[in-house]
Amino acid sequence: MADDRRARTVYSTANGPVCPVCGWPKSACRCSTRLEQAVPEKIVAKLRVEKAGRGGKTVTVVDGLPRNASFLKTLAADLKRLCGTGGAAGESSVELQGDQRDNLRAHLSSRGWTIKG
């Protein structure tokens, strides 16, 4: 006879889709409902260039930003327009195609941000 204490649900249509991280139903998932952080007055942004895992393409990453989806989306659009390149907003970072560190340093420091890297 099987031990019911170690049994777990493998597949069920009763609760709908399941979060791959925590295993809870997506409607009750705690990890996918990330809390929006308030945007602080003084932001410390970290600039870095990544090449690994991108097929040899260079990407500039602005990291250390607050987790606020609307803020990151508008910032990504502003920086892409400034640099004339493509990019994307992540959870707490913005990625831009190419090496854009010089343009970003000047623009972000004029906004009053502290830049590292």
Side-chain angles (χ1 to χ4, degrees), residues 6-67:
R6 294 188 312 158
R8 66 181 178 91
T9 305
V10 177
Y11 178 80
S12 173
T13 59
N15 296 325
V18 177
C19 176
V21 177
C22 65
W24 282 84
K26 288 215 178 191
S27 60
C29 175
R30 294 188 182 108
C31 66
S32 65
T33 56
R34 291 175 173 70
L35 299 174
E36 294 281 318
Q37 292 179 349
V39 180
E41 290 188 27
K42 289 195 126 194
I43 297 177
V44 178
K46 298 170 189 137
L47 293 179
R48 70 174 183 267
V49 175
E50 292 182 356
K51 235 178 160 176
R54 302 181 188 274
K57 307 284 192 234
T58 304
V59 175
T60 304
V61 180
V62 183
D63 199 14
L65 302 173
R67 285 187 164 185

Side-chain angles (χ1 to χ4, degrees), residues 54-96:
R54 302 181 188 274
K57 307 284 192 234
T58 304
V59 175
T60 304
V61 180
V62 183
D63 199 14
L65 302 173
R67 285 187 164 185
N68 189 318
S70 60
F71 169 74
L72 290 174
K73 187 175 179 181
T74 57
L75 178 65
D78 183 37
L79 295 180
K80 291 190 301 187
R81 196 175 308 112
L82 170 78
C83 298
T85 185
E91 276 188 33
S92 63
S93 65
V94 174
E95 298 177 355
L96 297 169

